[in-house]
């Protein structure tokens, strides 16, 4: 007697039904799931557009024909995806306390018709910020419902399918911000298949794990990846090994303990019959270097290349996320556009030639390695022209009452610098759909690269970015603080060191204001540091070639603050301004050995009065202070330094570290 097919009921709302999908009978996720499962299964679509889980909701699922048909089907397996429409203001504010009870009742009813039924409930697929109700309640209610569904799975002893995390980084698959298109439905079917068959494709690990890598030394080293649920993964490094079981979402993370710095080691990862082997693995310190073109600026193009082109440093290991196509002023072809949407815009390797690596990060690593006797690993994620928004998690941006407004309309939004939007428009001029993505898009680089690194342990972060955000320093300050807070939460390190570069001098009028904002950031966030580059800019070139100095200044910050070395790591900073007769006497922190670069008078200071009059003045170094003469009848309210776009400012301390762009108010 032939065995009867296993019956699968897909219960849900319009996402399950396949609303908006052409030929939905063939292309909805239940239809595609049936093809994947094969002849041994019969899959039926019991989706009803607009249905609520809540029995008192405006369109309760239990009153629909599809509900009755699902019960009559007597399924062996049920996949339930309900709750999206419960975020409607007609529902959640009025009946939210009923949600768990109504969901449990649905589960109990399915079990009553088949006590052996296998039930999977899905955590909600995303609703993106372009949805008209997003800010009016849906954002918060969607999150609350997701939390309740997680609890319901545990309480009712049913399986949980995650429809949120795999799709929150794919807005291109949701053209109306809530319903997946045909490609999205296909991926949803593959995900359900993976959960039903407990087959997530076997063993895989993010590209940051590779031969020649550096693992961050410490009490424990996280090693992580994907696998098939329930199976064991064994991780072995040197003479240490650990086993971990793959969780229901196909994820695993193991911790290796008591591994000595040094190497080379061999790392072996086993899963069922699969084995991944990585050789030349070192244990030392890993620094993540990020930003736009000045961080991406390659060593071979810097002034220091002639001296650095010779010889190798085996204790300096370089990993670069390389874009498959630069964001130059050209239209991208269909293959690039597709890979951008699929978040495969970057390709990474630990075997990058140093000539192609970030000059700033390279010189940082070289300087650190000379002072700290452990291998150094540098990971580069940098892309020319990109703004800070691209490096920040979508949920962070969507959760901020101001920043959320840049998400859906970024290509036309004044939140984004006009140059950035113009360049993206050129790259996307051959796009064939309205949901085409671009690396300059808010959250894109986070989703395409940074997300795959976390929780790969790092010692700290280097940041050289801002040129594509100088149009709005106040907005940048908010973005930067959100980014720092989120990174520290993601890496579970509230004091994760972050060292950044204050923009250099250049003949662009907005830059002094931006540099001053950066100066404020350096004083307002704990365990952060700013390397000043005011003195090594170029009036006409946004890419000054003196990168060795920038890298070394970042390294000095790390040596002082992270490695606790006794080095002078920062330039002078204005501590106090006191009137002394006809002069202003300016004292400084980090001011030992004050001098000027050229041995002449101090240049770069300006005085402002309450009427806004502004005059340049030369200074005199005397007794460890700078004296500025006050013009007769001029009531000074502010002292500014380095506030010309391309400044002649020349004050440094004994370590030749400069004072950066600063505004000092004498009176509030």
């Amino acid at each position: 007697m032939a065995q009867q097919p296993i019956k699968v009921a897909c219960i849900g709302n319009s996402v399950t039904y396949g609303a908006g999908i052409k030929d939905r009978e063939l292309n909805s996720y239940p239809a595609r799931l049936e093809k994947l499962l094969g002849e041994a299964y019969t899959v039926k679509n019991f989706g009803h557009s607009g249905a609520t889980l809540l029995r008192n909701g405006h369109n309760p699922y239990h009153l629909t024909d599809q509900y009755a048909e699902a019960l009559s089907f007597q399924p062996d397996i049920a996949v339930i995806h309900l709750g999206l429409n419960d975020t409607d203001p007609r529902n959640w504010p009025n009946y939210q306390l009923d949600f768990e009870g109504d969901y449990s009742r649905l589960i109990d009813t399915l079990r009553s018709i088949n006590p052996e039924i296998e039930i999977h409930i899905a955590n909600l697929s995303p609703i993106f910020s372009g949805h008209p109700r997003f800010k009016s309640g849906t954002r918060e209610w969607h999150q609350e419902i997701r939390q309740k569904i997680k609890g319901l799975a545990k309480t009712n002893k049913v399986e949980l399918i995650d429809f949120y995390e795999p799709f929150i980084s794919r807005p291109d698959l949701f053209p109306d911000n809530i319903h997946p298109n045909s490609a999205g439905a296909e991926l949803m079917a593959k995900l359900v298949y993976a959960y039903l068959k407990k087959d997530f494709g076997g063993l895989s690990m993010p590209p940051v794990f590779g031969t020649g890598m550096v693992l961050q030394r410490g009490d424990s080293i996280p090693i992580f990846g994907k696998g098939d649920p329930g199976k064991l993964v064994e991780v072995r490094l040197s003479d240490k090994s650990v086993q971990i079981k793959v969780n229901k979402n196909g994820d695993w993370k193991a911790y290796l303990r008591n591994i000595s710095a040094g190497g080379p080691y061999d790392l072996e990862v086993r899963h069922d019959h699969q084995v991944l082997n990585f050789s030349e693995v070192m244990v030392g310190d890993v620094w993540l270097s990020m930003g736009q073109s000045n961080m991406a600026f390659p060593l071979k193009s810097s002034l220091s290349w002639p001296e650095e082109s010779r010889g190798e440093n085996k204790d300096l290991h370089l990993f670069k996320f390389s874009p498959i196509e630069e964001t130059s002023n050209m239209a991208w072809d269909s293959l690039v556009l597709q890979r951008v949407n699929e978040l495969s815009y970057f390709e990474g390797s630990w075997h990058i030639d140093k000539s192609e690596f970030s000059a700033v990060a390279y010189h940082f690593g070289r300087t650190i390695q000379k002072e700290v006797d452990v291998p150094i690993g540098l990971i580069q994620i940098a892309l020319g022209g990109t703004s800070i928004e691209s490096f920040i998690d979508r949920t962070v941006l969507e959760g901020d009452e101001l920043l959320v407004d840049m998400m859906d309309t970024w290509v036309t939004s004044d939140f984004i610098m006009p140059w950035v939007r113009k360049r993206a428009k050129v790259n996307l001029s051959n796009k064939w759909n309205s949901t085409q993505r671009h690396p300059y898009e808010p959250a894109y680089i986070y989703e395409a690269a940074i997300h795959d690194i976390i929780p790969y342990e790092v010692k700290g972060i280097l940041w050289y970015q801002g040129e594509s955000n100088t149009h709005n320093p106040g907005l940048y300050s908010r973005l930067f603080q959100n980014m720092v807070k989120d990174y520290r939460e993601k890496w579970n390190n509230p004091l994760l060191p972050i060292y950044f570069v204050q923009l250099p001098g250049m003949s662009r009028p907005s830059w002094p204001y931006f540099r001053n904002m950066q100066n404020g950031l350096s004083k307002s966030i704990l365990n952060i540091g700013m390397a000043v580059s005011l003195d090594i800019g170029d009036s006409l070139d946004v890419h000054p070639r003196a990168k060795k100095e920038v890298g070394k200044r970042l390294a000095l910050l790390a040596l002082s603050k992270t490695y606790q070395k006794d080095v002078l790591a920062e330039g002078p900073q204005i501590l106090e301004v006191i009137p002394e007769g006809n002069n202003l006497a300016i004292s400084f922190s980090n001011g030992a050995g004050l001098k000027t670069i050229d041995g002449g008078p101090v240049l770069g200071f300006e005085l402002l009065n309450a009427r806004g009059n502004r005059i340049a003045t030369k200074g005199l170094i005397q007794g460890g202070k700078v004296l500025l003469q006050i013009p007769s009848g001029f009531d000074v309210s502010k002292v500014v330094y380095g506030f010309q776009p391309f400044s002649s400012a020349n004050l440094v301390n004994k370590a030749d570290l400069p004072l950066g762009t600063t505004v000092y108010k004498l009176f509030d």
Side-chain angles (χ1 to χ4, degrees), residues 22 116 178 234 268 344 357 430 483 505 519 538 602 638 666:
K22 184 179 180 180
E116 302 301 319
I178 189 169
E234 182 180 13
E268 181 183 271
S344 55
F357 198 76
N430 290 331
M483 182 182 74
N519 184 53
D538 187 299
V602 178
K638 295 178 183 176
L666 273 71

Side-chain angles (χ1 to χ4, degrees), residues 472-484:
N472 195 332
L475 177 65
Y476 186 91
S477 177
R478 184 172 185 143
L479 286 158
F480 186 85
Q481 292 179 74
N482 271 274
M483 182 182 74
V484 170

Side-chain angles (χ1 to χ4, degrees), residues 54 63 71 80 89 155 180 276 561 573 598-599 615 624 656:
L54 287 165
L63 298 180
L71 297 182
I80 308 171
T155 301
L276 294 177
K561 296 174 179 288
Q573 298 179 24
D598 55 7
I615 60 172
D656 293 323

Side-chain angles (χ1 to χ4, degrees), residues 189-398:
K190 290 179 178 178
L191 184 65
V192 175
Y193 175 89
Y195 277 98
L196 296 186
K197 304 294 284 186
K198 294 182 172 54
D199 179 4
F200 280 78
L203 179 63
S204 65
M205 298 174 71
V208 73
F209 289 97
T211 291
M213 66 181 149
V214 178
L215 298 172
Q216 177 59 47
R217 60 177 170 157
D219 294 335
S220 63
I221 299 173
I223 310 294
F224 54 93
K226 300 288 289 186
D228 293 330
K231 293 185 177 179
L232 283 178
V233 172
E234 182 180 13
V235 178
R236 182 180 298 275
L237 182 72
S238 184
D239 59 345
K240 305 293 193 306
S241 67
V242 63
Q243 288 186 335
I244 191 74
K245 186 178 290 188
V246 181
N247 70 18
K248 294 178 180 180
N249 295 322
D251 299 315
W252 59 269
K253 180 167 61 175
Y255 289 92
L256 292 167
R257 305 183 190 279
N258 303 316
I259 305 294
S260 300
Y265 299 112
D266 291 323
L267 174 65
E268 181 183 271
V269 182
R270 289 184 172 272
H271 171 270
D272 203 13
H273 300 297
Q274 293 176 277
V275 182
L276 294 177
N277 288 297
F278 307 101
S279 60
E280 302 173 31
V281 176
M282 310 298 289
V283 175
D285 286 343
V286 180
W287 288 86
L288 177 58
S289 56
M290 300 195 296
Q292 56 182 113
S293 53
N294 271 309
M295 182 60 88
F297 194 88
L299 184 61
K300 67 181 181 182
S301 299
S302 70
L303 293 177
S304 60
W305 177 241
E307 63 179 290
E308 296 296 339
S309 62
R310 301 180 296 273
E312 294 294 332
N313 187 333
K314 293 184 179 180
D315 285 327
L316 189 61
H317 296 244
L318 312 175
F319 184 100
K320 180 181 178 182
F321 280 86
S322 301
I324 60 169
E325 190 74 59
E326 293 292 345
T327 54
S328 51
N329 194 33
M330 60 181 290
W332 287 342
D333 62 29
S334 59
L335 179 60
V336 173
L337 294 173
Q338 180 180 344
R339 290 191 61 178
V340 168
N341 273 0
E342 293 172 350
L343 300 179
S344 55
Y345 176 67
F346 293 103
E347 297 175 335
S349 170
W350 279 100
H351 293 284
I352 187 74
D353 189 278
K354 68 178 181 180
S355 67
E356 302 291 339
F357 198 76
S358 164
V360 168
Y362 175 85
H363 283 294
F364 169 89
R366 284 272 285 169
T367 304
I368 294 293
Q369 210 281 316
K370 291 176 183 177
E371 299 293 330
V372 181
D373 190 24
V374 297
I376 300 295
L378 301 172
I379 301 174
Q380 175 185 330
I381 305 175
L383 181 66
T386 194
S387 55
I388 188 175
E389 292 89 345
S390 187
F391 291 85
I392 303 176
D393 186 355
R394 176 179 304 277
T395 59
V396 172
L397 296 170
E398 288 185 342

